[in-house]
mmCIF file of all heavy atoms in Angstrom:
data_model
loop_
_atom_site.group_PDB
_atom_site.id
_atom_site.type_symbol
_atom_site.label_atom_id
_atom_site.label_comp_id
_atom_site.label_asym_id
_atom_site.label_seq_id
_atom_site.Cartn_x
_atom_site.Cartn_y
_atom_site.Cartn_z
ATOM 1 N N MET A 22 -25.587 27.612 -33.328
ATOM 2 C CA MET A 22 -26.078 28.957 -33.007
ATOM 3 C C MET A 22 -25.319 29.983 -33.832
ATOM 4 O O MET A 22 -24.098 29.949 -33.893
ATOM 5 C CB MET A 22 -25.825 29.222 -31.519
ATOM 6 C CG MET A 22 -26.489 30.454 -31.033
ATOM 7 S SD MET A 22 -26.198 30.678 -29.277
ATOM 8 C CE MET A 22 -24.469 31.069 -29.278
ATOM 9 N N THR A 24 -23.917 33.353 -34.075
ATOM 10 C CA THR A 24 -23.598 34.607 -33.397
ATOM 11 C C THR A 24 -22.490 35.268 -34.199
ATOM 12 O O THR A 24 -21.891 34.643 -35.059
ATOM 13 C CB THR A 24 -23.067 34.362 -31.988
ATOM 14 O OG1 THR A 24 -21.902 33.561 -32.087
ATOM 15 C CG2 THR A 24 -24.096 33.696 -31.114
ATOM 16 N N ARG A 69 -19.207 45.027 -24.174
ATOM 17 C CA ARG A 69 -18.734 43.626 -24.158
ATOM 18 C C ARG A 69 -19.718 42.691 -24.856
ATOM 19 O O ARG A 69 -19.372 41.571 -25.215
ATOM 20 C CB ARG A 69 -18.552 43.145 -22.709
ATOM 21 C CG ARG A 69 -17.383 43.795 -21.987
ATOM 22 C CD ARG A 69 -17.215 43.220 -20.591
ATOM 23 N NE ARG A 69 -16.824 41.828 -20.609
ATOM 24 C CZ ARG A 69 -17.473 40.841 -19.997
ATOM 25 N NH1 ARG A 69 -18.578 41.091 -19.328
ATOM 26 N NH2 ARG A 69 -17.041 39.606 -20.065
ATOM 27 N N CYS A 70 -20.971 43.137 -25.012
ATOM 28 C CA CYS A 70 -21.998 42.259 -25.592
ATOM 29 C C CYS A 70 -21.708 42.023 -27.073
ATOM 30 O O CYS A 70 -21.453 42.960 -27.821
ATOM 31 C CB CYS A 70 -23.373 42.896 -25.413
ATOM 32 S SG CYS A 70 -24.681 41.986 -26.230
ATOM 33 N N LEU A 71 -21.773 40.766 -27.491
ATOM 34 C CA LEU A 71 -21.465 40.422 -28.879
ATOM 35 C C LEU A 71 -22.654 40.606 -29.817
ATOM 36 O O LEU A 71 -22.552 40.343 -31.002
ATOM 37 C CB LEU A 71 -20.987 38.965 -28.948
ATOM 38 C CG LEU A 71 -19.656 38.669 -28.246
ATOM 39 C CD1 LEU A 71 -19.376 37.185 -28.238
ATOM 40 C CD2 LEU A 71 -18.519 39.425 -28.897
ATOM 41 N N GLN A 72 -23.809 41.026 -29.277
ATOM 42 C CA GLN A 72 -25.010 41.230 -30.100
ATOM 43 C C GLN A 72 -25.336 39.975 -30.917
ATOM 44 O O GLN A 72 -25.496 40.010 -32.140
ATOM 45 C CB GLN A 72 -24.825 42.457 -31.019
ATOM 46 C CG GLN A 72 -24.737 43.769 -30.281
ATOM 47 C CD GLN A 72 -26.070 44.119 -29.581
ATOM 48 O OE1 GLN A 72 -27.130 44.039 -30.184
ATOM 49 N NE2 GLN A 72 -25.988 44.458 -28.309
ATOM 50 N N CYS A 73 -25.426 38.857 -30.217
ATOM 51 C CA CYS A 73 -25.681 37.570 -30.871
ATOM 52 C C CYS A 73 -26.974 37.622 -31.686
ATOM 53 O O CYS A 73 -27.962 38.219 -31.247
ATOM 54 C CB CYS A 73 -25.822 36.471 -29.820
ATOM 55 S SG CYS A 73 -24.427 36.387 -28.701
ATOM 56 N N LYS A 74 -26.967 36.951 -32.819
ATOM 57 C CA LYS A 74 -28.165 36.916 -33.672
ATOM 58 C C LYS A 74 -29.245 36.040 -33.027
ATOM 59 O O LYS A 74 -30.426 36.286 -33.164
ATOM 60 C CB LYS A 74 -27.811 36.348 -35.054
ATOM 61 C CG LYS A 74 -26.969 37.285 -35.892
ATOM 62 C CD LYS A 74 -27.863 38.285 -36.647
ATOM 63 C CE LYS A 74 -27.066 39.226 -37.509
ATOM 64 N NZ LYS A 74 -26.196 40.132 -36.738
ATOM 65 N N GLU A 75 -28.815 34.965 -32.370
ATOM 66 C CA GLU A 75 -29.773 34.116 -31.630
ATOM 67 C C GLU A 75 -29.370 34.138 -30.168
ATOM 68 O O GLU A 75 -28.718 33.231 -29.675
ATOM 69 C CB GLU A 75 -29.764 32.696 -32.176
ATOM 70 C CG GLU A 75 -30.383 32.583 -33.543
ATOM 71 C CD GLU A 75 -30.254 31.185 -34.109
ATOM 72 O OE1 GLU A 75 -30.174 30.223 -33.323
ATOM 73 O OE2 GLU A 75 -30.209 31.077 -35.349
ATOM 74 N N PRO A 76 -29.736 35.217 -29.477
ATOM 75 C CA PRO A 76 -29.200 35.432 -28.126
ATOM 76 C C PRO A 76 -29.743 34.444 -27.100
ATOM 77 O O PRO A 76 -30.949 34.430 -26.825
ATOM 78 C CB PRO A 76 -29.632 36.859 -27.802
ATOM 79 C CG PRO A 76 -30.763 37.149 -28.712
ATOM 80 C CD PRO A 76 -30.662 36.267 -29.899
ATOM 81 N N GLN A 77 -28.882 33.634 -26.564
ATOM 82 C CA GLN A 77 -29.298 32.628 -25.579
ATOM 83 C C GLN A 77 -29.682 33.266 -24.251
ATOM 84 O O GLN A 77 -30.495 32.739 -23.503
ATOM 85 C CB GLN A 77 -28.173 31.604 -25.369
ATOM 86 C CG GLN A 77 -27.936 30.729 -26.581
ATOM 87 C CD GLN A 77 -29.231 30.067 -27.045
ATOM 88 O OE1 GLN A 77 -29.838 29.297 -26.311
ATOM 89 N NE2 GLN A 77 -29.676 30.402 -28.255
ATOM 90 N N CYS A 78 -29.084 34.440 -23.967
ATOM 91 C CA CYS A 78 -29.418 35.135 -22.717
ATOM 92 C C CYS A 78 -30.925 35.337 -22.577
ATOM 93 O O CYS A 78 -31.494 35.174 -21.505
ATOM 94 C CB CYS A 78 -28.697 36.488 -22.664
ATOM 95 S SG CYS A 78 -28.966 37.487 -24.152
ATOM 96 N N VAL A 79 -31.593 35.652 -23.705
ATOM 97 C CA VAL A 79 -33.036 35.948 -23.670
ATOM 98 C C VAL A 79 -33.824 34.711 -23.244
ATOM 99 O O VAL A 79 -34.828 34.808 -22.536
ATOM 100 C CB VAL A 79 -33.518 36.470 -25.053
ATOM 101 C CG1 VAL A 79 -35.014 36.742 -25.035
ATOM 102 C CG2 VAL A 79 -32.766 37.729 -25.431
ATOM 103 N N ILE A 88 -32.678 41.527 -24.566
ATOM 104 C CA ILE A 88 -31.407 41.911 -23.935
ATOM 105 C C ILE A 88 -30.418 42.569 -24.914
ATOM 106 O O ILE A 88 -29.964 43.693 -24.650
ATOM 107 C CB ILE A 88 -30.798 40.696 -23.200
ATOM 108 C CG1 ILE A 88 -31.735 40.301 -22.045
ATOM 109 C CG2 ILE A 88 -29.391 41.010 -22.676
ATOM 110 C CD1 ILE A 88 -31.425 38.957 -21.398
ATOM 111 N N PRO A 89 -30.080 41.928 -26.041
ATOM 112 C CA PRO A 89 -29.093 42.595 -26.907
ATOM 113 C C PRO A 89 -29.582 43.957 -27.392
ATOM 114 O O PRO A 89 -28.796 44.904 -27.498
ATOM 115 C CB PRO A 89 -28.919 41.628 -28.083
ATOM 116 C CG PRO A 89 -29.815 40.489 -27.857
ATOM 117 C CD PRO A 89 -30.492 40.616 -26.542
ATOM 118 N N GLN A 90 -30.899 44.059 -27.649
ATOM 119 C CA GLN A 90 -31.424 45.333 -28.162
ATOM 120 C C GLN A 90 -31.288 46.446 -27.121
ATOM 121 O O GLN A 90 -30.876 47.563 -27.433
ATOM 122 C CB GLN A 90 -32.897 45.183 -28.566
ATOM 123 C CG GLN A 90 -33.116 44.348 -29.826
ATOM 124 C CD GLN A 90 -33.262 42.851 -29.525
ATOM 125 O OE1 GLN A 90 -32.779 42.361 -28.514
ATOM 126 N NE2 GLN A 90 -33.894 42.123 -30.419
ATOM 127 N N ILE A 92 -29.219 46.566 -24.637
ATOM 128 C CA ILE A 92 -27.796 46.828 -24.385
ATOM 129 C C ILE A 92 -27.203 47.667 -25.523
ATOM 130 O O ILE A 92 -26.405 48.568 -25.299
ATOM 131 C CB ILE A 92 -27.026 45.499 -24.201
ATOM 132 C CG1 ILE A 92 -27.473 44.813 -22.905
ATOM 133 C CG2 ILE A 92 -25.518 45.744 -24.191
ATOM 134 C CD1 ILE A 92 -26.753 43.509 -22.592
ATOM 135 N N CYS A 127 -30.657 34.846 -17.023
ATOM 136 C CA CYS A 127 -30.130 35.384 -18.287
ATOM 137 C C CYS A 127 -28.614 35.245 -18.397
ATOM 138 O O CYS A 127 -28.079 34.794 -19.420
ATOM 139 C CB CYS A 127 -30.552 36.842 -18.437
ATOM 140 S SG CYS A 127 -30.138 37.872 -17.003
ATOM 141 N N ARG A 130 -26.895 31.975 -19.333
ATOM 142 C CA ARG A 130 -26.945 31.519 -20.736
ATOM 143 C C ARG A 130 -26.130 32.410 -21.672
ATOM 144 O O ARG A 130 -26.067 32.154 -22.868
ATOM 145 C CB ARG A 130 -28.391 31.498 -21.221
ATOM 146 C CG ARG A 130 -29.297 30.712 -20.315
ATOM 147 C CD ARG A 130 -29.943 29.566 -21.044
ATOM 148 N NE ARG A 130 -30.803 28.842 -20.118
ATOM 149 C CZ ARG A 130 -32.082 28.582 -20.335
ATOM 150 N NH1 ARG A 130 -32.636 28.973 -21.457
ATOM 151 N NH2 ARG A 130 -32.783 27.912 -19.458
ATOM 152 N N CYS A 131 -25.536 33.486 -21.136
ATOM 153 C CA CYS A 131 -24.767 34.397 -21.998
ATOM 154 C C CYS A 131 -23.575 33.647 -22.574
ATOM 155 O O CYS A 131 -22.824 32.996 -21.854
ATOM 156 C CB CYS A 131 -24.298 35.620 -21.206
ATOM 157 S SG CYS A 131 -23.132 36.643 -22.110
ATOM 158 N N VAL A 132 -23.404 33.758 -23.884
ATOM 159 C CA VAL A 132 -22.360 33.014 -24.589
ATOM 160 C C VAL A 132 -20.960 33.364 -24.061
ATOM 161 O O VAL A 132 -20.054 32.526 -24.077
ATOM 162 C CB VAL A 132 -22.508 33.261 -26.113
ATOM 163 C CG1 VAL A 132 -22.142 34.689 -26.479
ATOM 164 C CG2 VAL A 132 -21.711 32.284 -26.913
ATOM 165 N N LEU A 133 -20.787 34.586 -23.575
ATOM 166 C CA LEU A 133 -19.466 34.968 -23.070
ATOM 167 C C LEU A 133 -19.068 34.160 -21.833
ATOM 168 O O LEU A 133 -17.883 34.004 -21.549
ATOM 169 C CB LEU A 133 -19.431 36.459 -22.704
ATOM 170 C CG LEU A 133 -19.390 37.462 -23.836
ATOM 171 C CD1 LEU A 133 -19.094 38.855 -23.300
ATOM 172 C CD2 LEU A 133 -18.336 37.088 -24.855
ATOM 173 N N GLY A 134 -20.043 33.624 -21.157
ATOM 174 C CA GLY A 134 -19.764 32.854 -19.944
ATOM 175 C C GLY A 134 -18.998 31.581 -20.229
ATOM 176 O O GLY A 134 -18.375 31.004 -19.335
ATOM 177 N N PRO A 139 -19.849 36.297 -18.191
ATOM 178 C CA PRO A 139 -21.011 36.792 -18.934
ATOM 179 C C PRO A 139 -21.132 38.308 -18.829
ATOM 180 O O PRO A 139 -20.628 38.912 -17.883
ATOM 181 C CB PRO A 139 -22.194 36.103 -18.252
ATOM 182 C CG PRO A 139 -21.693 35.663 -16.921
ATOM 183 C CD PRO A 139 -20.221 35.443 -17.055
ATOM 184 N N VAL A 140 -21.836 38.886 -19.791
ATOM 185 C CA VAL A 140 -22.152 40.315 -19.702
ATOM 186 C C VAL A 140 -22.959 40.544 -18.416
ATOM 187 O O VAL A 140 -23.800 39.724 -18.054
ATOM 188 C CB VAL A 140 -22.985 40.750 -20.935
ATOM 189 C CG1 VAL A 140 -23.437 42.195 -20.799
ATOM 190 C CG2 VAL A 140 -22.193 40.544 -22.222
ATOM 191 N N ALA A 141 -22.686 41.648 -17.740
ATOM 192 C CA ALA A 141 -23.390 41.948 -16.476
ATOM 193 C C ALA A 141 -24.779 42.507 -16.797
ATOM 194 O O ALA A 141 -25.063 43.696 -16.591
ATOM 195 C CB ALA A 141 -22.574 42.936 -15.656
ATOM 196 N N ILE A 142 -25.660 41.642 -17.285
ATOM 197 C CA ILE A 142 -26.985 42.065 -17.773
ATOM 198 C C ILE A 142 -27.802 42.735 -16.652
ATOM 199 O O ILE A 142 -28.421 43.781 -16.857
ATOM 200 C CB ILE A 142 -27.757 40.852 -18.345
ATOM 201 C CG1 ILE A 142 -26.961 40.207 -19.490
ATOM 202 C CG2 ILE A 142 -29.147 41.274 -18.824
ATOM 203 C CD1 ILE A 142 -27.445 38.834 -19.914
HETATM 204 FE FE1 SF4 B 4 -24.818 37.350 -26.647
HETATM 205 FE FE2 SF4 B 4 -24.320 37.518 -24.008
HETATM 206 FE FE3 SF4 B 4 -24.833 39.725 -25.472
HETATM 207 FE FE4 SF4 B 4 -26.773 37.959 -24.912
HETATM 208 S S1 SF4 B 4 -25.658 39.243 -23.444
HETATM 209 S S2 SF4 B 4 -26.420 38.932 -26.887
HETATM 210 S S3 SF4 B 4 -25.664 36.006 -25.054
HETATM 211 S S4 SF4 B 4 -23.079 38.347 -25.660
#
Side-chain angles (χ1 to χ4, degrees):
M22 190 178 70
T24 59
R69 290 183 66 235
C70 174
L71 294 173
Q72 293 294 312
C73 306
K74 289 275 181 294
E75 289 175 27
Q77 292 307 298
C78 52
V79 179
I88 295 168
Q90 289 88 335
I92 292 182
C127 53
R130 307 240 180 126
C131 171
V132 70
L133 286 191
V140 175
I142 301 166

